[in-house]
Amino acid sequence: MRILFVMEKRINAGSVQGAADYVRAADVLGHTIALYGCPDPNFPTLRFSSDVDSFDYAVFIIESDLGWMSGLRLPRLLAALPRERRAVLDADGMYNRRIMIDGYDRNHARDESCEKWRTSLQLLASKILQPTPSPLEPDVMPLLFYGYDPASELKADHSPAKRFDVAHVGHNWWRWRELDTKLLPAIERIRSSIGEICFRGLWWDGAPPWAAALGLETAFYADAERLRRLRIRVEAPVPYTEVIAAMSQARVNLMTQRPLFRRLGIITSKYFEVFCADTIPLVMLDPDQAEAVYGPAGRELALDGDVEEKLQQALSHPERYRELVHEVRAHLTTHHCYEKRVQELVAALEAGAP
Amino acid sequence: MKLLLVSTLSQSARSVYTIAKYIQEGAKLGHEVAVFGEKTSKSPRLPYSLDARSFDYAIFVVYESWDFPDMPYLAQLLDSVPKDRRIIIDCCGRYNDTIRVEHDFNHLERMDGHQGWEWVEGFEAVSTKILQPTLTPLRLGVRSFLWHGFDPRGVAREYTAAQQAAQIWAADGKSYGMVYVGHNWQRWSQVGRLLEGLEPVVREQLGPICLAGCDWDKRPEWAIQQGIKGADLDTELLKRLGVEVRSPIPYDEVTEFISKARFSPVIHRPLFNHLRMVTNRTFSTFCADTIPILMLPEDMIHAVYGPEARTLAIGDDVAGKLSDMMRRPEVYWDAVLKTRAHLTERHSFSQRFKELIAILES
């Protein structure tokens, strides 16, 4: 099968690493996956094609913005592939009815926006897929989409020197409340016993200038002064090709998820990337959810409840935690490798509508 | 016939003036013209419709990628109007190979996120009929259709003879010596040359100069950050000449504003000069009670405005030409009136509308 991914190319965010893994895994299985566009030296691991007519299906990978899918770009795709051969991966749950979590995180600020999204996605494709095992909407098909690539595991002997005890690699997008109420107080209590801490990504030093106009100040809110007091250094994001190496610079990596995604059970590429790094991942998930994705050992890596205790344990008993990581990697290789994901995608595209 | 115009409107840019004229002219000729979109009470106050099925043709008037509607409207529109009933008016020469003229361009991914091939394939996906407002399209298959036009009824002040016009013009006590209404996008190379050239005559003879539009006060932040040339300035020169800088003028006030000046230049961006493309200002400047100064390629002046308009070309000796215009205004008003007559005969909106209908029915 020939599948064309249509997505916004973001070098340091979104689904670009996942797309690169699909390209590789599809080749192994005799399928062909490419991204819509022309070759771009900034994305060396991706295959591009603009020969739309030569593909069997188009999969629109959509996050929280439709703007990149310009009216100039779309007609070519809509004309070449009929709606029955188009699917949407709704990575951020935007197709759901309006949801707000604890007066904070949300998929839509207003009902009108929600309706516009729903109509747009329905017109765009006959199938809406979401990376969650249990979509809330009856006409959405579950497809975890993101997966694990064992070949990307960075072995200790190839790993960069450890610059940090603790790192968080990711952007500040609906993260602050959880960090502010759970993680940072725990770090505060044990700060003197931890070495360097680094948050690597965008918007940890404040909201971008355009956030207010979009009503998104809360999504990007961060108290830079509090981070400074806790001696948490902030560094710029890295391109998708360097994420695993960047994570490997820390003994422990924290994986966080925005509250909306936790509620919807949405999986992201970060779930798996962090297990490719030479580090001990601690995931801020409910233990049940961690076990569901990572297997039994994942429960032990869930950062839930006594945060400072687990952080200290991971730093002071790395061997024990490396065993857990090893078990999780084996589980991910069996259950979540990209070859399996490609097969699931092909099956979803060939299946009847839900 | 019912025509649906698809474009993103602005109060002071692109085709809003022309679209408003097509709506008026269409009504006079017994046609119905509306703009695709939700009804709004905001300006520009024009008829809007989302009921694309009830129209015979959809006419995409394209400058930028965002002139195509967003989702879901785009899909609804494409589903409602079949391809052979869609037409594109390519106002910026996007449907060409990539062209660079000075630092002007028709495609730049850094600017709008689209590479050249996307413009070509995107246009071809929407329609088989692509028109460009030039007499000489470069690309095979593109039809010439000037789109913009002249509104004889929009002339600010009618004159029966050049002598009368020159006398009133000389005695009028206009607020400005020269006014240019338009944004500073790819205009500075020519505006700068004009200002430098007329510096010797400014203080004693010409009177105040005004530039009205976006980005005449400073280079915009986005251009600095992205390293994009095309909204350049010489603030020292502007200061030296005491040039007044104003915000954009709404499309329905432009003629009145330009009429406050003795002269108004007609300037096209370098890309448009290269492609010999016209804009609404090509024609509408001749509605104002002013002497237009033509800064366009000679062959284009002749082809669009007729032979008399050559007198209004600025040439290389800017100060000399301006001085002569002020000394012998009757000669130049004669050229203005004859050019208006030529535009009325060849380029009126009524004429243009009929040409459009002929293309649609062909």
Side-chain angles (χ1 to χ4, degrees), chain B residues 263-288:
Chain B
F263 300 100
S264 182
V266 178
I267 298 169
H268 292 174
R269 44 189 281 202
L271 174 73
F272 283 28
N273 280 339
H274 175 74
L275 296 172
R276 303 295 192 261
M277 295 186 92
V278 297
T279 72
N280 69 66
R281 206 53 48 74
T282 312
F283 301 106
S284 70
T285 307
F286 277 84
C287 288

mmCIF file of all heavy atoms in Angstrom, chain B residues 263-288:
data_model
loop_
_atom_site.group_PDB
_atom_site.id
_atom_site.type_symbol
_atom_site.label_atom_id
_atom_site.label_comp_id
_atom_site.label_asym_id
_atom_site.label_seq_id
_atom_site.Cartn_x
_atom_site.Cartn_y
_atom_site.Cartn_z
ATOM 1 N N PHE B 263 0.112 65.971 -7.804
ATOM 2 C CA PHE B 263 0.634 64.831 -8.565
ATOM 3 C C PHE B 263 0.465 63.541 -7.751
ATOM 4 O O PHE B 263 0.490 63.585 -6.521
ATOM 5 C CB PHE B 263 2.130 64.998 -8.848
ATOM 6 C CG PHE B 263 2.462 66.223 -9.642
ATOM 7 C CD1 PHE B 263 2.946 67.366 -9.011
ATOM 8 C CD2 PHE B 263 2.291 66.248 -11.021
ATOM 9 C CE1 PHE B 263 3.248 68.503 -9.730
ATOM 10 C CE2 PHE B 263 2.598 67.390 -11.757
ATOM 11 C CZ PHE B 263 3.072 68.525 -11.108
ATOM 12 N N SER B 264 0.333 62.449 -8.481
ATOM 13 C CA SER B 264 0.338 61.142 -7.804
ATOM 14 C C SER B 264 1.014 60.116 -8.711
ATOM 15 O O SER B 264 0.604 59.931 -9.864
ATOM 16 C CB SER B 264 -1.094 60.693 -7.492
ATOM 17 O OG SER B 264 -1.064 59.472 -6.796
ATOM 18 N N PRO B 265 2.052 59.457 -8.207
ATOM 19 C CA PRO B 265 2.748 58.488 -9.057
ATOM 20 C C PRO B 265 1.977 57.172 -9.178
ATOM 21 O O PRO B 265 1.291 56.757 -8.242
ATOM 22 C CB PRO B 265 4.073 58.267 -8.320
ATOM 23 C CG PRO B 265 3.768 58.558 -6.898
ATOM 24 C CD PRO B 265 2.679 59.589 -6.881
ATOM 25 N N VAL B 266 2.074 56.557 -10.329
ATOM 26 C CA VAL B 266 1.573 55.188 -10.518
ATOM 27 C C VAL B 266 2.808 54.290 -10.531
ATOM 28 O O VAL B 266 3.633 54.375 -11.441
ATOM 29 C CB VAL B 266 0.782 55.045 -11.833
ATOM 30 C CG1 VAL B 266 0.326 53.593 -12.025
ATOM 31 C CG2 VAL B 266 -0.411 55.993 -11.843
ATOM 32 N N ILE B 267 2.902 53.487 -9.487
ATOM 33 C CA ILE B 267 4.100 52.663 -9.284
ATOM 34 C C ILE B 267 3.678 51.208 -9.147
ATOM 35 O O ILE B 267 2.787 50.898 -8.350
ATOM 36 C CB ILE B 267 4.835 53.085 -7.985
ATOM 37 C CG1 ILE B 267 5.289 54.531 -8.087
ATOM 38 C CG2 ILE B 267 6.020 52.166 -7.710
ATOM 39 C CD1 ILE B 267 5.768 55.103 -6.768
ATOM 40 N N HIS B 268 4.305 50.343 -9.874
ATOM 41 C CA HIS B 268 4.075 48.907 -9.701
ATOM 42 C C HIS B 268 5.336 48.274 -9.138
ATOM 43 O O HIS B 268 6.441 48.739 -9.427
ATOM 44 C CB HIS B 268 3.750 48.240 -11.032
ATOM 45 C CG HIS B 268 2.421 48.646 -11.592
ATOM 46 N ND1 HIS B 268 2.001 48.260 -12.837
ATOM 47 C CD2 HIS B 268 1.422 49.398 -11.086
ATOM 48 C CE1 HIS B 268 0.796 48.760 -13.066
ATOM 49 N NE2 HIS B 268 0.420 49.459 -12.021
ATOM 50 N N ARG B 269 5.168 47.201 -8.389
ATOM 51 C CA ARG B 269 6.337 46.520 -7.851
ATOM 52 C C ARG B 269 7.158 45.914 -9.004
ATOM 53 O O ARG B 269 6.613 45.659 -10.090
ATOM 54 C CB ARG B 269 5.930 45.470 -6.812
ATOM 55 C CG ARG B 269 4.763 44.623 -7.183
ATOM 56 C CD ARG B 269 4.283 43.766 -6.044
ATOM 57 N NE ARG B 269 5.131 42.590 -5.887
ATOM 58 C CZ ARG B 269 4.757 41.478 -5.278
ATOM 59 N NH1 ARG B 269 3.541 41.394 -4.748
ATOM 60 N NH2 ARG B 269 5.569 40.467 -5.177
ATOM 61 N N PRO B 270 8.447 45.700 -8.793
ATOM 62 C CA PRO B 270 9.321 45.214 -9.875
ATOM 63 C C PRO B 270 8.802 43.936 -10.555
ATOM 64 O O PRO B 270 8.901 43.801 -11.774
ATOM 65 C CB PRO B 270 10.652 44.958 -9.159
ATOM 66 C CG PRO B 270 10.638 45.913 -8.003
ATOM 67 C CD PRO B 270 9.210 46.013 -7.564
ATOM 68 N N LEU B 271 8.239 43.026 -9.759
ATOM 69 C CA LEU B 271 7.700 41.794 -10.353
ATOM 70 C C LEU B 271 6.588 42.123 -11.346
ATOM 71 O O LEU B 271 6.510 41.531 -12.426
ATOM 72 C CB LEU B 271 7.154 40.888 -9.239
ATOM 73 C CG LEU B 271 6.432 39.628 -9.709
ATOM 74 C CD1 LEU B 271 7.431 38.599 -10.248
ATOM 75 C CD2 LEU B 271 5.622 39.001 -8.570
ATOM 76 N N PHE B 272 5.731 43.050 -10.966
ATOM 77 C CA PHE B 272 4.607 43.403 -11.835
ATOM 78 C C PHE B 272 5.098 44.101 -13.100
ATOM 79 O O PHE B 272 4.549 43.884 -14.184
ATOM 80 C CB PHE B 272 3.611 44.297 -11.075
ATOM 81 C CG PHE B 272 2.735 43.559 -10.112
ATOM 82 C CD1 PHE B 272 3.158 42.386 -9.505
ATOM 83 C CD2 PHE B 272 1.468 44.012 -9.795
ATOM 84 C CE1 PHE B 272 2.355 41.695 -8.608
ATOM 85 C CE2 PHE B 272 0.644 43.335 -8.916
ATOM 86 C CZ PHE B 272 1.092 42.173 -8.311
ATOM 87 N N ASN B 273 6.119 44.932 -12.965
ATOM 88 C CA ASN B 273 6.687 45.556 -14.161
ATOM 89 C C ASN B 273 7.252 44.491 -15.092
ATOM 90 O O ASN B 273 7.086 44.561 -16.303
ATOM 91 C CB ASN B 273 7.789 46.546 -13.777
ATOM 92 C CG ASN B 273 7.208 47.878 -13.305
ATOM 93 O OD1 ASN B 273 6.057 48.205 -13.617
ATOM 94 N ND2 ASN B 273 7.980 48.633 -12.565
ATOM 95 N N HIS B 274 7.908 43.509 -14.499
ATOM 96 C CA HIS B 274 8.489 42.433 -15.306
ATOM 97 C C HIS B 274 7.391 41.663 -16.046
ATOM 98 O O HIS B 274 7.547 41.322 -17.220
ATOM 99 C CB HIS B 274 9.276 41.498 -14.383
ATOM 100 C CG HIS B 274 9.823 40.288 -15.075
ATOM 101 N ND1 HIS B 274 10.902 40.349 -15.924
ATOM 102 C CD2 HIS B 274 9.429 38.984 -15.054
ATOM 103 C CE1 HIS B 274 11.156 39.131 -16.393
ATOM 104 N NE2 HIS B 274 10.285 38.285 -15.878
ATOM 105 N N LEU B 275 6.305 41.385 -15.339
ATOM 106 C CA LEU B 275 5.212 40.599 -15.933
ATOM 107 C C LEU B 275 4.212 41.479 -16.682
ATOM 108 O O LEU B 275 3.263 40.960 -17.262
ATOM 109 C CB LEU B 275 4.477 39.809 -14.837
ATOM 110 C CG LEU B 275 5.297 38.739 -14.107
ATOM 111 C CD1 LEU B 275 4.509 38.176 -12.919
ATOM 112 C CD2 LEU B 275 5.662 37.611 -15.065
ATOM 113 N N ARG B 276 4.436 42.791 -16.616
ATOM 114 C CA ARG B 276 3.518 43.760 -17.252
ATOM 115 C C ARG B 276 2.106 43.613 -16.678
ATOM 116 O O ARG B 276 1.118 43.638 -17.410
ATOM 117 C CB ARG B 276 3.500 43.599 -18.775
ATOM 118 C CG ARG B 276 4.870 43.734 -19.449
ATOM 119 C CD ARG B 276 5.410 45.148 -19.273
ATOM 120 N NE ARG B 276 6.561 45.430 -20.121
ATOM 121 C CZ ARG B 276 7.851 45.384 -19.722
ATOM 122 N NH1 ARG B 276 8.158 45.046 -18.474
ATOM 123 N NH2 ARG B 276 8.819 45.686 -20.553
ATOM 124 N N MET B 277 2.035 43.431 -15.373
ATOM 125 C CA MET B 277 0.732 43.254 -14.721
ATOM 126 C C MET B 277 0.164 44.595 -14.274
ATOM 127 O O MET B 277 0.904 45.478 -13.855
ATOM 128 C CB MET B 277 0.854 42.325 -13.506
ATOM 129 C CG MET B 277 1.236 40.917 -13.895
ATOM 130 S SD MET B 277 1.219 39.777 -12.511
ATOM 131 C CE MET B 277 -0.431 39.187 -12.633
ATOM 132 N N VAL B 278 -1.146 44.703 -14.336
ATOM 133 C CA VAL B 278 -1.808 45.926 -13.887
ATOM 134 C C VAL B 278 -2.393 45.697 -12.491
ATOM 135 O O VAL B 278 -2.563 44.558 -12.050
ATOM 136 C CB VAL B 278 -2.934 46.357 -14.858
ATOM 137 C CG1 VAL B 278 -2.358 46.688 -16.225
ATOM 138 C CG2 VAL B 278 -4.018 45.292 -14.950
ATOM 139 N N THR B 279 -2.693 46.804 -11.825
ATOM 140 C CA THR B 279 -3.354 46.747 -10.519
ATOM 141 C C THR B 279 -4.548 47.700 -10.564
ATOM 142 O O THR B 279 -4.740 48.408 -11.556
ATOM 143 C CB THR B 279 -2.407 47.209 -9.391
ATOM 144 O OG1 THR B 279 -2.239 48.632 -9.497
ATOM 145 C CG2 THR B 279 -1.056 46.533 -9.481
ATOM 146 N N ASN B 280 -5.295 47.741 -9.469
ATOM 147 C CA ASN B 280 -6.437 48.667 -9.492
ATOM 148 C C ASN B 280 -5.967 50.118 -9.586
ATOM 149 O O ASN B 280 -6.602 50.954 -10.199
ATOM 150 C CB ASN B 280 -7.363 48.441 -8.297
ATOM 151 C CG ASN B 280 -6.742 48.846 -6.991
ATOM 152 O OD1 ASN B 280 -6.481 50.008 -6.771
ATOM 153 N ND2 ASN B 280 -6.499 47.887 -6.114
ATOM 154 N N ARG B 281 -4.780 50.398 -8.996
ATOM 155 C CA ARG B 281 -4.278 51.767 -9.005
ATOM 156 C C ARG B 281 -3.826 52.209 -10.400
ATOM 157 O O ARG B 281 -3.763 53.397 -10.689
ATOM 158 C CB ARG B 281 -3.139 51.897 -7.979
ATOM 159 C CG ARG B 281 -2.900 53.276 -7.398
ATOM 160 C CD ARG B 281 -4.130 53.930 -6.798
ATOM 161 N NE ARG B 281 -4.844 53.049 -5.911
ATOM 162 C CZ ARG B 281 -4.440 52.704 -4.689
ATOM 163 N NH1 ARG B 281 -3.327 53.171 -4.202
ATOM 164 N NH2 ARG B 281 -5.169 51.903 -3.952
ATOM 165 N N THR B 282 -3.499 51.222 -11.256
ATOM 166 C CA THR B 282 -3.155 51.547 -12.646
ATOM 167 C C THR B 282 -4.244 52.419 -13.264
ATOM 168 O O THR B 282 -3.961 53.361 -14.006
ATOM 169 C CB THR B 282 -3.039 50.237 -13.476
ATOM 170 O OG1 THR B 282 -2.234 49.296 -12.770
ATOM 171 C CG2 THR B 282 -2.462 50.493 -14.857
ATOM 172 N N PHE B 283 -5.477 52.071 -12.925
ATOM 173 C CA PHE B 283 -6.617 52.765 -13.533
ATOM 174 C C PHE B 283 -7.221 53.818 -12.609
ATOM 175 O O PHE B 283 -7.575 54.908 -13.043
ATOM 176 C CB PHE B 283 -7.687 51.737 -13.927
ATOM 177 C CG PHE B 283 -7.169 50.708 -14.899
ATOM 178 C CD1 PHE B 283 -6.895 49.410 -14.494
ATOM 179 C CD2 PHE B 283 -6.927 51.040 -16.223
ATOM 180 C CE1 PHE B 283 -6.399 48.467 -15.386
ATOM 181 C CE2 PHE B 283 -6.431 50.111 -17.122
ATOM 182 C CZ PHE B 283 -6.168 48.812 -16.704
ATOM 183 N N SER B 284 -7.344 53.467 -11.320
ATOM 184 C CA SER B 284 -8.102 54.358 -10.437
ATOM 185 C C SER B 284 -7.388 55.688 -10.198
ATOM 186 O O SER B 284 -8.021 56.687 -9.878
ATOM 187 C CB SER B 284 -8.407 53.663 -9.109
ATOM 188 O OG SER B 284 -7.224 53.503 -8.364
ATOM 189 N N THR B 285 -6.067 55.729 -10.358
ATOM 190 C CA THR B 285 -5.360 57.002 -10.172
ATOM 191 C C THR B 285 -5.880 58.052 -11.162
ATOM 192 O O THR B 285 -5.912 59.245 -10.859
ATOM 193 C CB THR B 285 -3.837 56.788 -10.345
ATOM 194 O OG1 THR B 285 -3.435 55.722 -9.481
ATOM 195 C CG2 THR B 285 -3.045 58.042 -9.980
ATOM 196 N N PHE B 286 -6.330 57.579 -12.336
ATOM 197 C CA PHE B 286 -6.854 58.510 -13.340
ATOM 198 C C PHE B 286 -8.254 59.020 -12.989
ATOM 199 O O PHE B 286 -8.774 59.886 -13.678
ATOM 200 C CB PHE B 286 -6.824 57.868 -14.735
ATOM 201 C CG PHE B 286 -5.466 57.981 -15.383
ATOM 202 C CD1 PHE B 286 -4.475 57.057 -15.111
ATOM 203 C CD2 PHE B 286 -5.174 59.050 -16.224
ATOM 204 C CE1 PHE B 286 -3.216 57.180 -15.680
ATOM 205 C CE2 PHE B 286 -3.915 59.174 -16.796
ATOM 206 C CZ PHE B 286 -2.925 58.240 -16.521
ATOM 207 N N CYS B 287 -8.861 58.477 -11.950
ATOM 208 C CA CYS B 287 -10.143 59.029 -11.479
ATOM 209 C C CYS B 287 -9.915 60.252 -10.593
ATOM 210 O O CYS B 287 -10.805 61.078 -10.423
ATOM 211 C CB CYS B 287 -10.911 57.987 -10.664
ATOM 212 S SG CYS B 287 -11.580 56.665 -11.664
ATOM 213 N N ALA B 288 -8.740 60.337 -10.006
ATOM 214 C CA ALA B 288 -8.485 61.424 -9.052
ATOM 215 C C ALA B 288 -8.219 62.733 -9.789
ATOM 216 O O ALA B 288 -7.782 62.743 -10.948
ATOM 217 C CB ALA B 288 -7.299 61.055 -8.166
#
